[in-house]
Structures are given as C-alpha cells and as structure tokens.
Amino acid sequence: MISPWMNEAAARAEKTLADHGIRFTIGGEPTFIPNDPQGPEWSYSAVGPTKLSYAKRFADELMKDRCAGAARFYCPGKLYPGETNPRWVVRLISNRDGSPVFSLPKRGKALTPSSLQDFADALAKELGVPSHWIGFTDPNGSGIEVLVMPLDHDGSIWRSARWPLPKGDRKLSTAEGPAGLRLPLHLMPEGLPRRVLCIDRQGGTISIFVPPLLQNAFLNLLGATERAAKSRGVADLEFHGYTPQDEEGKWSVLGLAADPGVLEINLPPCESWQAYAEWMEELFASGHRAGMRTWKESPWDHPQGSGGGNHLLWGGPSLEDHPFFTRPLWLANVLRYWQHHPSLAYLFTGCYVGASSQAPRPDESARDLYDIDMAYTFIETLSEGDHRSLINETLRHIQIDVTGNSHRSEISLDKFWNTAFPSGMLGLIEFRAIEALPKPEWSSAVALLWSCLASHLLENPPKRSLKRFSTKLHDEYFLPRRLWDDLEEIFADLEKAGYTLDRETYRAIWDWRFPVLLEWKSGRASLTVRKALESWPLLSETPVEGGSTSRFVDTSMQRLEFLTSPGFSSQYDIYVAGRPLPLAAQPDETSLAGLRYRRTNLYPSLHPGIPTQLPLAVTIVNRKNGRAVAEFVMGVDEIDFTPLDKPGLTALGGKPCRGGRRGDLTCDLRLA
C-alpha cells in the first residue's frame, strides 16, 4: 500500500528535479525464490530443473494484469566463465501505449500430427514466402517435431530459400536449449539467407524460434505469427530467440532472469518513483500467485531476504538526455554523501557485508582514501559539457572490490559508460547494497529514500572531505544501534531540506533486519540482544567438482549487539560464556557492546582447530551480591536465547571478553 507520506515526499523530490530540467529514471532488480526452495538452483546455481517453469508462471501472472497483451520470449542470456551454457531470460515485451503486442485465441484446437506443418505453411503464406520448410530430428527427445526454413528481411520484404541439406545431417545438436540454438548452421551453403526460422512442437505446445532481426521486421513476424495461429486455431504457442533493441521507443521490456539462487526481475526504467512503487505492488502480487516470494526462512536462522538483492539503478530517459553525463558535481555529491553514511551500505543490504561481499564500499577496496578523494575532487572540477567517458575512466578504478571487479561495488558504474563492453554503455548507476525485503512498501520506501537523497544532493552538497572511519567501520557500524543513529542523521538532513519520511516504516525494516534474540527487563533496567552484521573473510582457492577452483568465504562467525538501558550498569554485570562483557557508556546513558562468536566450523574456514562456541550462555549478575539473577542459553540448533529456570549454572570468573584492537566496541570470544 502506497502511503500518503510517500507520495508527498516523492512529489517534493520530483519537483526539485523538474525545476532543474532533469528527467530521471529508476530501475530495479528485485529477486524472488519459491515458497519452498529446493536444490542448488535456489541456493547457489543460476539454472536448474524448476527455475524456468517458475519464470514462465510468474510471467503468465503478470500478463493477466500489468503486462496484458505482452509477447513472452524465452531468450539466451549471459554466458559466465566456468558455466557450460548461457543463462536464460524470459522477456515480456509490452507496448507503452497499452495496445497489445501479441494475442492468441483463448481456446484452440487440439493439435494433431499435421498441426505443425499446417501452422508452418500458414506462417509462410502470411510472410509472403514459399513454404521451404525441412524437417529436423531432435536427439534430446522422442516425439519432438522440428521444422526449419532460412529466412531474412531486406527492409521491405521477406526472402526465403530451401536448405539443401542431406537428410543425414538434418538433426539438432545435443546441447541444452531451444531448437533454434542447436542448428548445424556451419553446414549452410553460401547464397542462402543467413538467418533461420525454426518451429517445433512438444506435446500440446508449438514453439517458434525468432532469429536476430531489426524491430520492424520483428514486429512484422509477430503479426504474421498471430494471424497464422488464429487461422489454424493454435492457442498454445510460445516464442524463443532474440528480441531486438527498441529503436522507435514503443516498448516496455521486463525480464525474468536466471541468477544464482534466485529468479531476478529486471524492471523497465520507471520515469517516477510512483511508477516504481506500482511495479513493486504488482510484482509481489504476481509472485505470490506464482508461488514465489522475496524472503527465505530456515531452521537455523531468522527470516532474511532472498539472497539475490534488490538493486536500484539510476539513469535517464535516453543517452542524449542523461542527467549525470553533464552534471559530474551532482554525481560526486552522491558518492561523497554515501561514503559519509555507512547505514546506506549496511542497513538495507543482506547478511553478508564488508570487503569481500557483493557490494563493498569504496573505502573497503584496495584503494587509499586519498585516492578516492582525489577522484571525486577531479570530477567535481569538470567544466560544463558531456563528460561521460572521463567520468567513467576516473571512477571505474575507484568503485571496485578488493579484486578490481567494477561490478561488485556498493555503487557500481560498470554500466555507466564502459566502452570495453557494449552492455556497459547504458548510462546506469547501480546501487547494489540493497536486499530484497518481504513487503513491497518496504522496497518502495528504500527507493524513496534514495530518490529524496538524489534530489537533496542536487542543491545541498555534503562536506567536501571524506570520513576516515578507520577501524570503527567494521566495529561500531556493524552494530544495529549505530546504523540507526546514522540513519537518523540522514533523516535530519532531509527534514531541513523539506523532505519528511516516516521513521516507523524504516524502523520496521531495521527491526526485521536485526531481530531481537534476547530481551530482559527488571524494573527500569533492561537488556536487548540483537543479531548484528559480520564481515566474512575471503578464503584461498579450493578445488571443486569439475576440476576448477573456487574462493569461498568463511561464514563461521556471527556478531551480536548488547544494548542496555540507562542505569543498568550501576546494578548489573553481563557475563558471556562465564566471562565479563565490558559495556561502553553512550551519550544517552545507555550502554553498548558487540560480541563475535564462532557458530560453525564447516570446511573450509579460518582457524579450523578452534571449536564452535555453542551453547552460548548469557548471565546477568547483581553487582551488589554477585549472584546471577537471570541466565539465557543459545543451543547448537537454536537461533534465539532461551531463559533457564535456575540461573547461575554457568561458572563465572573467566578473563574479560576483549576486542582485537584497543577501543573496539566489539569483543571476540575466540580471544583469551
């Protein structure tokens, strides 16, 4: 549900941009998983036996409402190093004016052995070419009919020819994928059209593989296919193949892509925050009907996001009308402000943060802070004009992870104007430190915060110097309390500029991200223990199945936050595993501490000889008499602390817990 305060804040942000003549687009990449995810495809693999069926089901639900009249295409996706086949993406192509792109009869005739040939002949007639179809066999399955015809478009009419291929060579390869990607095109003689139209029938479905075409020819083929299908009563038809660029600006294209562990939704660019919020509502509703959601649960942890993220992308309506190409100072303001506020990197992301995560901050990379500052200062001094190439060349070596990967960055510019790759010249700024959340209004609230900051920073540059957080970044700012305090500073900046955001919504997100594991109260004294963030270190290369190597991260460590009320420390002490836990007094008279402990020691991991530190006991002791007044234990298979009926079972008096560095708020229980 889109709240009034959201609309008011969005209107304020969009008016500011409009006053400066800026047209701004928002993109998104929310990720979904099944309600009951099973197998590697919903854990770490990009593809698997069920993911495509979920993608088609999700697409069909979208086509019942928001994407009614769309054409659905199963397309080849990216090929990543170490993967045998390209990943796939299901694209929904809709007309922006709401008119249908493609439609079929609601009811069709039952397919017979002659149905495929009848449909193929009708399609050739609609295209105005002879029916030069030849049959192929598919070694991957029996009962699959395949017809193939060379076909090309010269800009005005279609041309076809018969492929003089010996019958013994008329068979598809055994590779995975649709028939049109498994043709022996190397056997095609010179002089024939270089594109090939391929149709096949499997059971009650006819599939048509569309070769690479320009937009006008593509639309012509869709129209011919629609007429042929209606004339032959074909209601169950699907498209495979290539979709062209939207040269005429007619389309809205949504993608459902195979990604490791999740199904990723690639939204079309939204020209307003309102449009983005409406998409979130539609995606969550359609995903629910398709049996999918944006969060996961497990018996060994609290609910958390899908694991695939919900990245936000900023851009412009076109490369000719792009808001950041000619405003490098604005972009520098954004980069500086994000560096000043760790909550923007840590509060809305997943459980995995730090230098080896999927979205490290620039000051967590291998670059010195003065190098980062030098780059930002340089682009701030650029004169008027289009500086897309120089901005890219300056920042692409800064916005990286520790390995130099420009995609894995909190604010990634690898799709801004990266001339090394065609897909990198899109004018996009990608914010990757955002995880999928369980409610559409929460995802919309994060996007709204980002939009308000974009508008605010256009007129209100942050402090010029970057913040040197030093060890505090991975100590204090991994604790929920510190992150909320930092977000409060952001709220204050926005309120001074006239942007009013509802703290309760963001507090609910914060509560969900950092669940309470223990809560104790006696009179005015109270203790709250929450789950905190942890930075999991990268390990050395480890051989994996198939002969390749992989670099795992050590996920054995977890972090807790201990927050006590004013006056608690004058009455009570806290012991963890029998050891005193030092608390640091805060300006509001509360006390705070972090604690790292070893939850697992699965292979591979750092320090394999150090055992796990579960069960973990927390004992509250009366300072006057030294007696335990309450005791809680987290067992090996538990995710919360359970109170003991008889406190005082854990022997007290060990060495005080300590941090790895002087002044740390966080102690490490592994240290003696």
Side-chain angles (χ1 to χ4, degrees):
M1 181 69 69
I2 300 174
S3 303
W5 70 266
M6 290 182 166
N7 285 324
E8 292 171 8
R12 171 77 172 84
E14 287 163 10
K15 183 181 184 302
T16 299
L17 296 176
D19 289 346
H20 287 266
I22 291 174
R23 298 172 67 198
F24 187 72
T25 61
I26 306 171
E29 296 179 352
T31 53
F32 287 75
I33 59 174
N35 294 337
D36 183 22
Q38 299 289 334
E41 63 182 325
W42 302 114
S43 177
Y44 58 86
S45 295
V47 296
T50 68
K51 190 170 289 187
L52 180 57
S53 62
Y54 272 106
K56 290 180 177 179
R57 196 180 312 162
F58 203 132
D60 288 344
E61 292 298 332
L62 287 168
M63 292 170 69
K64 292 177 182 177
D65 190 4
R66 184 67 180 264
C67 297
R72 192 188 81 187
F73 273 78
Y74 170 85
C75 307
K78 295 179 181 178
L79 177 61
Y80 286 83
E83 295 182 0
T84 306
N85 296 301
R87 298 176 187 175
W88 49 259
V89 56
V90 175
R91 292 196 177 102
L92 294 181
I93 300 176
S94 306
N95 280 327
R96 294 186 181 182
D97 62 8
S99 61
V101 175
F102 184 81
S103 63
L104 287 171
K106 292 184 178 180
R107 294 183 180 180
K109 300 177 182 177
L111 297 184
T112 67
S114 63
S115 293
L116 185 66
Q117 187 66 58
D118 290 345
F119 170 74
D121 291 339
L123 178 56
K125 182 179 179 181
E126 293 292 344
L127 294 171
V129 298
S131 190
H132 288 314
W133 301 99
I134 60 173
F136 269 66
T137 59
D138 186 347
N140 289 348
S142 59
I144 300 175
E145 303 174 68
V146 182
L147 294 176
V148 173
M149 177 173 65
L151 182 75
D152 211 341
H153 197 272
D154 64 5
S156 58
I157 62 171
W158 295 97
R159 296 186 301 110
S160 72
R162 188 175 299 279
W163 188 353
L165 190 65
K167 288 188 177 181
D169 293 328
R170 296 181 186 179
K171 57 185 176 182
L172 306 178
S173 73
T174 57
E176 294 181 7
L181 291 177
R182 298 187 285 134
L183 295 168
L185 297 181
H186 62 288
L187 300 178
M188 182 175 286
E190 295 292 333
L192 291 184
R194 307 315 297 171
R195 293 174 176 83
V196 175
L197 190 63
C198 180
I199 61 176
D200 66 80
R201 174 194 166 190
Q202 298 187 44
T205 302
I206 290 179
S207 303
I208 178 167
F209 186 92
V210 178
L213 295 168
L214 295 178
Q215 188 175 22
N216 283 336
F218 177 83
L219 290 171
N220 185 290
L221 177 59
L222 289 190
T225 303
E226 180 179 316
R227 293 189 297 273
K230 289 179 178 178
S231 70
R232 293 298 185 269
V234 175
D236 195 350
L237 184 147
E238 61 181 24
F239 288 104
H240 297 165
Y242 298 89
T243 56
Q245 292 292 320
D246 182 19
E247 300 165 349
E248 300 184 9
K250 294 181 176 180
W251 292 342
S252 173
V253 181
L254 179 141
L256 301 96
D259 211 48
V262 294
L263 179 67
E264 178 182 281
I265 313 298
N266 303 127
L267 283 181
C270 302
E271 295 184 357
S272 67
W273 172 86
Q274 178 80 25
Y276 176 89
E278 289 173 356
W279 266 118
M280 287 297 107
E281 297 282 347
E282 179 62 37
L283 289 178
F284 274 69
S286 296
H288 176 73
R289 294 193 299 268
M292 305 195 79
R293 62 189 183 190
T294 56
W295 56 279
K296 59 186 176 183
E297 57 185 352
S298 69
W300 55 85
D301 206 347
H302 289 82
Q304 55 189 265
S306 66
N310 183 13
H311 308 152
L312 275 175
L313 299 100
W314 287 353
S318 68
L319 294 178
E320 292 72 32
D321 183 15
H322 196 283
F324 287 105
F325 288 168
T326 57
R327 296 176 180 85
L329 177 59
W330 185 25
L331 177 56
N333 289 347
V334 169
L335 296 174
R336 284 190 185 278
Y337 194 88
W338 254 252
Q339 193 275 338
H340 289 170
H341 292 285
S343 61
L344 297 174
Y346 298 153
L347 200 157
F348 301 105
T349 191
C351 61
Y352 181 15
V353 297
S356 59
S357 72
Q358 291 285 321
R361 290 162 48 95
D363 50 9
E364 292 174 318
S365 74
R367 296 287 174 265
D368 289 316
L369 196 64
Y370 70 83
D371 269 322
I372 302 171
D373 186 67
M374 196 184 309
Y376 295 172
T377 300
F378 173 76
I379 65 172
E380 287 168 341
T381 61
L382 292 175
S383 59
E384 293 184 2
D386 189 332
H387 298 289
R388 67 184 78 177
S389 295
L390 193 52
I391 292 171
N392 172 74
E393 283 303 310
T394 301
L395 295 178
R396 75 185 182 96
H397 304 292
I398 298 295
Q399 305 296 125
I400 55 173
D401 73 353
V402 292
T403 69
N405 188 318
S406 62
H407 184 62
R408 292 180 179 177
S409 177
E410 177 199 7
I411 304 177
S412 171
L413 281 88
D414 72 329
K415 300 186 186 77
F416 186 72
W417 201 251
N418 186 353
T419 56
F421 304 97
S423 61
M425 301 167 66
L426 302 176
L428 296 176
I429 300 170
E430 182 177 9
F431 295 86
R432 292 175 49 79
I434 305 174
E435 178 57 286
L437 295 171
K439 297 182 180 180
E441 60 268 28
W442 287 5
S443 294
S444 298
V446 175
L448 180 58
L449 173 61
W450 259 239
S451 293
C452 289
L453 284 173
S455 176
H456 167 65
L457 293 169
L458 183 63
E459 299 180 329
N460 301 278
K463 293 179 181 178
R464 182 175 179 82
S465 60
L466 299 180
K467 274 192 176 182
R468 190 170 293 279
F469 290 97
S470 187
T471 58
K472 288 185 177 181
L473 189 62
H474 289 180
D475 175 31
E476 296 186 21
Y477 288 98
F478 278 5
L479 301 180
R481 165 66 185 272
R482 278 288 187 267
L483 292 178
W484 182 257
D485 290 345
D486 185 62
L487 188 62
E488 284 282 5
E489 293 181 15
I490 296 172
F491 288 149
D493 287 345
L494 290 173
E495 285 172 357
K496 289 178 183 177
Y499 303 91
T500 303
L501 302 179
D502 178 44
R503 280 172 169 76
E504 289 186 7
T505 297
Y506 298 95
R507 187 74 178 191
I509 298 173
W510 179 83
D511 273 323
W512 188 80
R513 285 275 291 111
F514 306 112
V516 173
L517 311 184
L518 185 162
E519 201 154 27
W520 176 84
K521 188 174 183 179
S522 177
R524 293 185 177 181
S526 65
L527 164 66
T528 302
V529 180
R530 289 183 182 268
K531 184 178 180 181
L533 295 174
E534 189 55 66
S535 178
W536 294 330
L538 195 66
L539 300 174
S540 66
E541 293 183 343
T542 300
V544 295
E545 186 178 354
S548 61
T549 59
S550 179
R551 288 189 294 176
F552 295 90
V553 292
D554 174 22
T555 62
S556 67
M557 298 297 295
Q558 296 288 342
R559 187 175 308 219
L560 305 175
E561 177 192 77
F562 289 73
L563 180 66
T564 65
S565 63
F568 177 96
S569 295
S570 64
Q571 303 178 62
Y572 303 102
D573 289 320
I574 298 175
Y575 286 75
V576 179
R579 300 169 61 183
L581 178 69
L583 296 168
Q586 303 301 298
D588 63 353
E589 299 184 350
T590 61
S591 295
L592 183 66
L595 180 79
R596 303 178 74 209
Y597 71 98
R598 186 154 207 182
R599 188 171 181 90
T600 67
N601 61 349
L602 302 176
Y603 175 85
S605 65
L606 281 176
H607 314 300
I610 298 178
T612 59
Q613 294 171 310
L614 292 176
L616 186 65
V618 173
T619 309
I620 301 172
V621 175
N622 188 307
R623 299 190 72 178
K624 290 182 179 180
N625 56 27
R627 293 179 180 176
V629 298
E631 190 164 14
F632 303 82
V633 174
M634 179 190 290
V636 174
D637 298 321
E638 297 175 327
I639 59 175
D640 298 300
F641 286 90
T642 302
L644 296 183
D645 293 334
K646 295 182 178 180
L649 298 180
T650 301
L652 307 180
K655 291 183 179 180
C657 301
R658 67 181 181 90
R661 298 170 295 266
R662 182 183 296 273
D664 278 356
L665 271 179
T666 301
C667 299
D668 192 329
L669 201 57
R670 296 173 301 175
L671 299 175

